[in-house]
């Protein structure tokens, strides 16, 4: 018994030496690379491009040509027209993705296929659930080489206005999907002034700019908190005069601040040279309130720029004299919200 009690600690030491440390997951390694990246990289449209290389359109081959019109895969994705499916090949593997896109939100429906020479192609189960209702607008599924490994990457920004990025990743190990993990990257943002549009001699133009930028910042904060914009709080506890209050409650009409798509006056600027995604109010969530500028009440509209429900990275503010028709515009301002750095990188492993 004495020898056994003396020997056990040594056995424990040997056992601990024999068990190698688990290798960090692909997402953990990607998060480490992200944390070491210079701050300037996070202002780029694709900040992970150094480590996540999307698979481009594959050169047409007999295999891709067969997959484009294969009735099995067309039925699997619900193809509704005679156009070929979009086919991507995960280079170095026998794995292909056949996709169909539809609707104004460009929603992706896909099927994964294994196609080996001399064998019938067969459907592959995805490594995790792929809800077509989630693969829309800013999110999609694609093939990529992540830190050199062939992988399926699913995700993107959670919304058109969010600076954050979230991906689920699974690698192909030659036999099937492995290394399932997720990574979420939260980015810091800042708002900057871009340009303004004012009629000649507008006295409200200069005085309105700091108020407009404060309103744009308050709008973004209110949306993030899912809260309304309180005009009394915004104006330091002051209440609008009767004329401005009446204009706020005026019925919607063609070309006034009550419209679903309020006007953004350009005062003669060349509209052809301007991007409508930056100089037109989106109808997603424009908000209206009276604001006090240089001792006078004006009607203000604030919202994200965009086309229809689509939103861009610009926040627009337009000031109008009551009653708030398009012809009553006195100043328009454009601000831009952009990422400035990485706030947090979180990686998680997923169970098979």
């Amino acid at each position: 018994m004495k020898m056994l009690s003396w020997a056990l600690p040594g056995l424990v030491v040997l056992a601990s030496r024999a068990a190698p440390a688990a290798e960090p997951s692909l997402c953990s390694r990607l998060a480490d690379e992200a944390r070491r990246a210079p701050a300037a990289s996070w202002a780029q449209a694709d900040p992970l491009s150094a480590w996540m290389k999307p698979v481009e359109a594959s050169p047409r081959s007999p295999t891709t040509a067969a997959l484009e019109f294969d009735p099995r895969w067309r039925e699997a994705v619900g193809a509704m027209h005679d156009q070929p499916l979009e086919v991507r090949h995960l280079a170095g593997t026998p794995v292909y993705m056949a996709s169909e896109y539809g609707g104004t939100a460009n929603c992706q429906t896909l099927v994964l296929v294994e196609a080996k020479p001399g064998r019938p192609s067969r459907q592959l189960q995805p490594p995790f659930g792929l809800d077509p209702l989630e693969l829309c607008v800013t999110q999609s599924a694609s093939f990529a080489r992540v830190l050199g490994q062939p992988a399926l990457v699913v995700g993107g920004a959670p919304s058109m206005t969010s600076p954050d990025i979230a991906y689920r990743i699974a690698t192909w190990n030659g036999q099937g999907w492995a290394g399932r993990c997720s990574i979420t990257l939260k980015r810091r943002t800042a708002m900057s002034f871009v340009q303004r549009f004012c009629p000649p001699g507008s006295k409200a133009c200069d005085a309105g700019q700091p108020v407009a930028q404060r309103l744009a910042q308050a709008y973004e904060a209110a949306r993030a908190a899912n809260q309304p914009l309180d005009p009394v709080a915004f104006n330091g506890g002051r209440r609008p005069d009767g004329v401005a209050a009446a204009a706020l409650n005026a019925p919607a009409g063609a070309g006034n601040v009550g419209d679903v798509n309020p006007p953004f006056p350009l005062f003669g600027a060349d509209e052809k040279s301007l991007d409508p995604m930056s100089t037109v109010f989106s109808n997603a969530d424009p908000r209206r309130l009276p604001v006090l500028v240089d001792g006078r009440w004006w009607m203000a509209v604030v919202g994200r720029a965009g086309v229809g429900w689509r939103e861009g990275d610009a926040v627009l503010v337009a000031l109008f004299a009551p009653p708030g028709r398009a012809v009553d515009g006195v100043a328009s301002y454009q601000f831009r919200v952009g990422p400035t750095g990485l706030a947090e990188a979180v990686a998680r492993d997923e169970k098979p």
Side-chain angles (χ1 to χ4, degrees):
M1 292 297 294
K2 289 182 179 179
M3 289 181 62
L4 183 60
S5 63
W6 171 83
L8 279 174
L11 291 175
V12 172
V13 171
L14 290 174
S16 65
R17 288 177 179 172
E23 184 179 348
S25 72
L26 190 65
C27 291
S28 295
R29 292 164 54 201
L30 191 58
D32 286 341
E33 294 287 354
R35 295 184 190 106
R36 290 193 290 264
S41 65
W42 295 102
Q44 300 174 6
D46 186 4
L48 296 180
S49 60
W51 316 287
M52 187 181 294
K53 307 287 188 182
V55 170
E56 302 297 334
S58 308
R60 207 157 188 270
S61 67
T63 301
T64 59
L67 295 176
E68 287 173 357
F69 291 100
D70 192 311
R72 292 173 297 169
W73 315 136
R74 296 181 67 81
E75 181 180 0
V77 301
M80 300 297 291
H81 51 75
D82 296 332
Q83 295 297 317
L85 300 177
E86 179 191 87
V87 176
R88 293 284 191 270
H89 178 212
L90 187 55
T93 79
V95 181
Y96 294 78
M97 179 191 301
S99 299
E100 171 83 346
Y101 298 86
T104 58
N106 200 38
C107 294
Q108 178 187 16
T109 308
L110 64 93
V111 61
L112 298 174
V113 179
E114 183 181 62
K116 295 182 177 180
R119 298 185 187 180
S121 59
R122 69 181 186 93
Q123 184 172 352
L124 289 173
Q125 289 301 314
F128 25 66
L130 298 176
D131 185 346
L133 296 178
E134 295 178 353
L135 299 179
C136 302
V137 189
T138 58
Q139 304 199 53
S140 62
S142 61
F143 287 147
R145 296 198 75 85
V146 182
L147 294 175
Q149 298 189 42
L152 172 68
V153 178
V154 179
S159 72
M160 297 184 74
T161 58
S162 174
D164 301 334
I165 307 170
Y167 292 115
R168 299 176 77 186
I169 301 173
T171 55
W172 181 260
N173 64 5
Q175 302 297 320
W177 299 111
R180 298 166 180 81
C181 62
S182 65
I183 181 170
T184 300
L185 303 167
K186 296 184 179 295
R187 293 192 281 183
R188 293 187 295 271
T189 62
M191 179 180 290
S192 58
F193 170 74
V194 179
Q195 60 184 333
R196 69 187 190 185
F197 305 91
C198 300
S202 172
K203 295 181 179 179
C205 194
D206 291 337
Q209 184 169 322
V211 177
Q213 182 149 0
R214 188 164 55 88
L215 179 56
Q217 292 168 333
Y219 170 80
E220 288 290 288
R223 286 193 75 183
N226 196 27
Q227 295 291 327
L229 262 175
D230 184 348
V232 176
F234 179 80
N235 291 292
R238 288 163 291 192
R239 297 183 179 277
D241 58 29
V243 175
L248 185 64
N249 297 318
N256 67 31
V257 297
D259 286 354
V260 175
N261 285 108
F264 184 72
L266 296 174
F267 307 105
D270 181 10
E271 296 187 33
K272 293 182 180 179
S273 66
L274 300 173
D275 180 3
M277 281 294 291
S278 298
T279 54
V280 175
F281 278 110
S282 161
N283 63 24
D285 188 18
R287 304 192 185 185
R288 307 151 179 85
L289 70 162
V291 296
L292 191 63
V293 176
D294 201 21
R296 179 176 173 181
W297 288 99
W298 307 90
M299 296 301 303
V301 180
V302 57
R304 282 273 181 159
V307 177
W309 55 267
R310 297 170 180 83
E311 298 179 82
D313 61 0
V315 181
L316 306 180
V317 176
L319 301 182
F320 300 84
R325 301 164 300 176
V327 295
D328 299 320
V330 295
S332 300
Y333 306 91
Q334 182 191 81
F335 306 92
R336 179 157 283 114
V337 178
T340 58
L342 179 66
E344 184 181 26
V346 178
R348 293 186 177 88
D349 294 344
E350 296 190 13
K351 295 181 180 180

